[in-house]
């Protein structure tokens, strides 16, 4: 009786564990990315904010110059100059952003940890699915059906995590 009960709930328990771990790992990966690259991320956000402020100020100056007579002449000669100046400021700010080697190494370590977790979750989800398929047809209950669904969800999320982590590692290695 105990063996039958264990066989009944084991796949579902494994699937729940796998899904829970992967659903915690995905937001954790984002937090770890911010921890590793916080300087570059904050510089980028500051650059975006500064570019928006410069664009608003220059657009205001553009409107004032249009009201005055010389604004039309400048518009004909230079085109929409606030956009050109804003793009120049944005490129200068982005050009000054530096990513330290230590941040890249920390990022790579965090992503390797995420990849290992995704592989373990994938294995656990596959084990849960195999255990359900090995059971007899008469033992297939609501728990068995939910185990299949949960293990499929864990499999999909772990594959997505693996692909995204691999792509992120490739992109960061290009820095």
């Amino acid at each position: 009786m105990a063996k039958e009960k264990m066989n009944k709930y084991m796949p579902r328990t494994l699937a729940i564990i796998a899904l829970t771990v992967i659903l915690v790992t995905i937001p954790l990966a984002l937090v770890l990315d911010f921890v590793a690259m916080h300087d570059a991320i904050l510089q980028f956000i500051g650059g975006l904010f500064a570019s928006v402020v410069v664009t608003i100020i220059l657009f205001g100056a553009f409107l004032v110059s249009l009201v005055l007579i010389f604004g039309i002449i400048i518009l004909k000669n230079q085109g929409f100059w606030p956009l050109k100046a804003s793009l120049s400021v944005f490129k200068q700010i982005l050009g000054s952003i530096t990513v330290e080697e230590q941040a890249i190494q920390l990022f790579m370590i965090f992503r390797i940890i995420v990849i290992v977790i995704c592989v373990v979750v994938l294995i656990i989800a596959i084990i849960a699915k195999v255990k359900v398929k090995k059971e007899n047809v008469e033992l297939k209950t609501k728990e068995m059906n939910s185990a299949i669904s949960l293990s499929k969800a864990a499999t999909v999320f772990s594959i997505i995590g693996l692909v995204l982590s691999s792509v992120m590692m490739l992109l960061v290695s290009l820095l």
Side-chain angles (χ1 to χ4, degrees), residues 14 21-22 37 42 47 77-78 101 130 137 150 156 161 165 174:
L14 288 174
V21 169
I22 199 67
M37 301 284 195
L42 292 177
N77 292 338
Q78 301 293 323
E101 187 64 34
V130 167
V137 175
L150 292 171
V156 168
S165 292
L174 297 175

Side-chain angles (χ1 to χ4, degrees), residues 115-143:
I115 286 174
V116 168
I117 290 172
C118 287
V119 168
V120 169
V121 166
L122 185 63
I123 291 169
I124 291 172
I126 290 171
I127 289 171
K129 194 182 292 186
V130 167
K131 283 194 172 287
V132 167
K133 296 200 184 236
K134 283 175 88 174
E135 293 299 317
N136 295 333
V137 175
E138 56 271 356
L139 285 180
K140 289 196 177 182
T141 61
K142 181 180 171 186
E143 288 81 14

Side-chain angles (χ1 to χ4, degrees), residues 54-124:
V54 167
T55 302
I56 291 171
I57 291 171
L58 290 177
F59 187 71
F62 173 73
L63 291 178
V64 169
S65 72
L66 276 180
V67 171
L68 303 173
I69 301 296
F70 66 89
I72 296 172
I73 297 169
I74 295 173
L75 182 61
K76 285 182 182 177
N77 292 338
Q78 301 293 323
F80 189 61
W81 57 269
L83 179 63
K84 293 177 184 175
S86 296
L87 286 174
S88 173
V89 168
F90 184 68
K91 287 178 183 177
Q92 288 175 354
I93 291 172
L94 283 184
S96 67
I97 294 175
T98 58
V99 180
E100 298 174 4
E101 187 64 34
Q102 182 182 7
I104 292 173
Q105 290 173 353
L106 191 60
F107 178 85
M108 292 296 194
I109 290 169
F110 288 155
R111 281 298 166 161
I112 289 171
I113 291 170
V114 169
I115 286 174
V116 168
I117 290 172
C118 287
V119 168
V120 169
V121 166
L122 185 63
I123 291 169
I124 291 172

Side-chain angles (χ1 to χ4, degrees), residues 2-20:
K3 177 90 168 155
E4 181 179 307
K5 193 171 187 177
M6 188 178 92
N7 286 341
K8 181 179 177 184
Y9 291 107
M10 174 79 99
R12 184 170 186 224
T13 304
L14 288 174
I16 289 172
I17 290 170
L19 188 60
T20 303

Side-chain angles (χ1 to χ4, degrees), residues 107-109 111-112 115 164-174:
F107 178 85
M108 292 296 194
I109 290 169
R111 281 298 166 161
I112 289 171
I115 286 174
L164 289 178
S165 292
S166 301
V167 168
M168 290 300 294
M169 286 180 68
L170 177 69
L171 289 176
V172 170
S173 68
L174 297 175

